[in-house]
Every structure is written in C-alpha cells, then in structure tokens.
Amino acid sequence: MIIAERKPINEIMEMVKDVKRVLVLGCKGCVTVCSAGGEREVEILASLIRLGANKQGRTVEVTDGALVRQCDKEYIDGLDNWKGKYDAIVSMACGVGVNFIANLRPETIVYPGVNTSFLGGSAEQGVWSEQCAGCGNCILHLTGGLCPVARCAKSLMNGPCGGSQGGRCEINPDVNCIWQSIHDRLERTGKKEDMLRVAPIRDWSTAGHGGPRKVVRDDLTV
Amino acid sequence: MSDFTPNIRAFCCHYTSQQICAEGDEGLNREGFPKSVAIERLVCSGKLQVSAILKAFEDGADGVYVVGCPEDKCHNLMGSQRAAKRVGAVRKALTELDVEADRVEMYHLERGFHPEFVAAAQEMDRRIKEMGPSPLKGGKK
C-alpha cells in the first residue's frame, strides 16, 4: 500500500493561515490502513487546526470528512456533500488524492495534509518499510522476490556492491543489504545458479524516466 | 497568576479511579485533592484516543493528564502503555504548535485512593498555575 505520514502541524497551519473554512478530508484507502489519513487522523488534524488557529487569535471553521477513496473520479464526486461549506481542502490522502481533486475541481483550493512516503508494508505495529519502487518492470522473479530497485540504496541490478559489510548496507548499519538477502534466499531455495546471470543494462523509461506513466486497459475502457 | 484557577481534566482508568469515585467530593476535598481537577473515568486508559485529549483542550482545559495502571501491571495488559504513547503524541503536537508539552502528562499509579493519586493532581494543579491559561484557548477564559 501507499505509506504516508502527517505533515508537521505548523506546515499545515501556514497553508491555511488565510482560510476561514477548512475541509479536512480523509481517505479510507491506504492512508487509513497506515494510520496517516483515515477518519481518526482527520479528527485529530481538524482539532489541531482549530487549536492552532485559536492560539493565533483567529477562528477557523473546520469540517471533517472522508471519502471511500480519493483516487477515483466517482468518489471525488462525493465532495458535493460539503458543497459551499469550505474555502479550501486539506486532503489527508496520498499525493494521488490531492492531484485528483486538483484535476477534477479546477476552482477548488486543495492542500496536502500528509507527506506521501513510499510503497510499503507494515513490518510490525507502527513500523512501515519500503518494499516496491513502482518502477514498472518487475524483476522479482530473478531476485527471489526481493526488490533491489526499492531496497538497495543504489538500486543495483547486479549486487552486492563493495559497501556490503556483514550483510548490512554501508549507508546505515540498520539496513540489510538486500543483495546479501537475495543471495541467501536464492541459495536456500535451490536457485543459487541464478546469481550467475548478469542483468543487462536496464531501460528505465517504465520507471518514470520517460515522463508520467499511464496504464490503458482496452478490455476495461468504455 | 495568583487569581488564575486552572481547568484541568484527568482521564482515569476504571481501576485507578474506582476507589477515588467512592470517596466522593467530600472525601477528595478532605485529602487535599485540588478542585481544579475534573475526573473522567474510562473503562481502560488504553481506550483514550488522541482526539479525546485534544477535545479536552478545545473544550477549555488548561491542562490534561491521564492516570493508568502501572506499566507492567495494567489490568488489560497494555492499556496504560498505549495511553502513554497517545499522551506522547499529544505532547509532540503541542510542541509543534509551540505550546508547553507539560500541559499534558501521563501517570502510572496503583489502584486505590492513596497519596500518590492526590499528589499527581496537586502536581498538575501547581504546574498549570505556574504556566497560566492555555494559549490554545486564544485568550478565552
């Protein structure tokens, strides 16, 4: 899922410093699961904006709400529920949600309430780690299911590099060298000969280096 | 700030407040429990959400504290540890808003009506009196 983290309150307060009516808008998708922008976090941010405004000696009317998702046009239409009740939106969805509101509501002012961090999973309660870079051309079948694009500091296609020490990455001893893990895993699963394969120079155009990406499914379009 | 009477909200778990509630106002007053503190009972301090603490400040509290079981002896195993984390989250948020983090506090206390329970309330009363009214009230009394 997409992992996000609430922006510092002061950053958000600066965004809404001249706004009289704010809609804090959560998303019931990924950011609810990672406890960054679901209904519970919306309630907290709405309260903090009110308190912050009080401290500044001004009154702000804060409405809170949430959409099923902010990454589908049909759900963005749900904004009509609060029509005329806000001057600006603080979206607690990932950056996709903020973009979708901006795309679909040309007149609406929308600010990000979270920093969109990465594609990852919950390593343990309250801890999330990056697992996928969304590079558009998976090579996980060659690397034992472990992604060197997302999890190697250098995104090496052939590794490990000389900075791998005792199974740890040179950038930070808390980070596992994913190429060491790939070697270990391939050996455990009887596929260590796969390590002899030299990955060719990669075409990164699918990773965004060729501009914004788009997926079109003819079987689904109408 | 000698004329300032703080508004302090105490969220107490069922187990730490059971005996306190049985004492009633008269019993509390007799033991020196400050009148500035209003107690709200919870089934478990782990039930307390960050938003409830913030709401207390929105409702005019100058200080808020939470009383839960000792960390390693919570009736519900980890409830008071969770409450402490949430108090920590509010402390962080207050700091971000440039408000004294000490306006919110977590206490881990044994069950029963004992001097430590009164001392915690007195400490908060003293602390908030020194700090003055919460700036989050924006000048409202």
Side-chain angles (χ1 to χ4, degrees):
Chain A
M1 66 181 152
I2 294 170
I3 309 300
E5 195 173 12
R6 191 187 68 214
K7 279 183 170 290
I9 307 303
N10 285 338
E11 200 177 325
I12 297 170
M13 291 307 296
E14 179 64 20
M15 294 176 203
V16 300
K17 66 181 178 192
D18 298 320
V19 182
K20 291 188 170 59
R21 299 177 305 164
V22 177
L23 171 62
V24 180
L25 189 67
C27 175
K28 297 181 186 177
C30 307
V31 291
T32 290
V33 182
C34 71
S35 300
E39 288 172 301
R40 184 171 286 177
E41 292 75 33
V42 163
E43 197 179 358
I44 291 169
L45 180 58
S47 196
L48 287 170
I49 291 175
R50 279 191 293 267
L51 289 167
N54 274 351
K55 182 167 179 280
Q56 293 167 353
R58 67 189 181 96
T59 304
V60 61
E61 192 181 306
V62 186
T63 305
D64 52 78
L67 297 177
V68 175
R69 286 197 295 275
Q70 293 188 28
C71 53
D72 271 311
K73 179 184 177 305
E74 292 76 3
Y75 292 119
I76 296 296
D77 288 345
L79 274 176
D80 291 341
N81 290 334
W82 299 283
K83 194 173 182 179
K85 293 183 178 167
Y86 59 87
D87 303 315
I89 298 172
V90 174
S91 167
M92 297 197 80
C94 69
V96 179
V98 181
N99 273 270
F100 256 58
I101 293 171
N103 291 340
L104 296 166
R105 302 277 169 141
E107 308 291 324
T108 298
I109 296 169
V110 57
Y111 299 118
V114 304
N115 288 321
T116 305
S117 307
F118 49 77
L119 303 181
S122 175
E124 57 188 273
Q125 189 170 323
V127 178
W128 294 270
S129 61
E130 186 169 16
Q131 304 290 311
C132 172
C135 71
N137 188 8
C138 276
I139 46 113
L140 294 166
H141 55 299
L142 302 174
T143 58
L146 304 172
C147 183
V149 180
R151 302 173 68 183
C152 166
K154 297 172 181 172
S155 294
L156 292 178
M157 290 296 104
N158 296 283
C161 70
S164 177
Q165 300 290 325
R168 302 288 175 165
C169 178
E170 66 180 331
I171 61 155
N172 186 336
D174 293 335
V175 175
N176 285 328
C177 169
I178 199 65
W179 270 107
Q180 178 72 54
S181 302
I182 291 168
H183 279 247
D184 294 345
R185 187 163 154 75
L186 289 173
E187 182 165 15
R188 270 199 307 275
T189 54
K191 294 183 175 179
K192 65 179 177 183
E193 66 280 3
D194 283 4
M195 292 312 305
L196 298 173
R197 185 179 179 278
V198 176
I201 293 172
R202 183 174 164 137
D203 174 2
W204 287 99
S205 62
T206 59
H209 298 236
R213 295 166 285 175
K214 181 183 275 189
V215 172
V216 180
R217 285 270 304 273
D218 278 340
D219 57 324
L220 297 175
T221 55
V222 290
Chain B
M1 281 295 166
S2 56
D3 59 341
F4 167 55
T5 305
N7 173 350
I8 299 172
R9 293 275 298 279
F11 292 100
C12 305
C13 80
H14 172 78
Y15 301 95
T16 50
S17 61
Q18 200 168 22
Q19 188 60 37
I20 281 82
C21 290
E23 291 289 325
D25 287 345
E26 201 176 308
L28 290 175
N29 293 341
R30 194 171 52 240
E31 299 300 325
F33 192 87
K35 288 181 177 169
S36 59
V37 178
I39 295 175
E40 184 167 332
R41 284 181 89 186
L42 305 165
V43 288
C44 171
S45 61
K47 180 79 176 166
L48 186 66
Q49 293 296 331
V50 169
S51 54
I53 301 175
L54 295 175
K55 178 78 167 40
F57 281 111
E58 280 199 69
D59 289 343
D62 298 296
V64 178
Y65 70 97
V66 182
V67 182
C69 302
E71 280 185 73
D72 57 346
K73 286 194 281 185
C74 177
H75 182 85
N76 296 309
L77 302 179
M78 294 181 68
S80 61
Q81 290 179 39
R82 290 198 169 101
K85 295 266 189 183
R86 288 166 193 160
V87 166
V90 176
R91 289 177 69 89
K92 183 167 177 282
L94 293 186
T95 303
E96 284 185 53
L97 289 171
D98 202 20
V99 171
E100 308 94 330
D102 284 346
R103 287 189 182 274
V104 60
E105 192 59 85
M106 177 77 205
Y107 293 94
H108 295 278
L109 299 176
E110 299 283 352
R111 295 178 185 202
F113 186 49
H114 43 68
E116 288 79 7
F117 188 90
V118 176
Q122 288 172 337
E123 183 190 11
M124 283 304 287
D125 181 63
R126 195 164 48 243
R127 188 192 291 186
I128 302 300
K129 274 180 179 159
E130 279 173 16
M131 288 181 183
S134 165
L136 297 169
K137 294 198 288 193
K140 285 179 276 188
K141 295 289 175 190

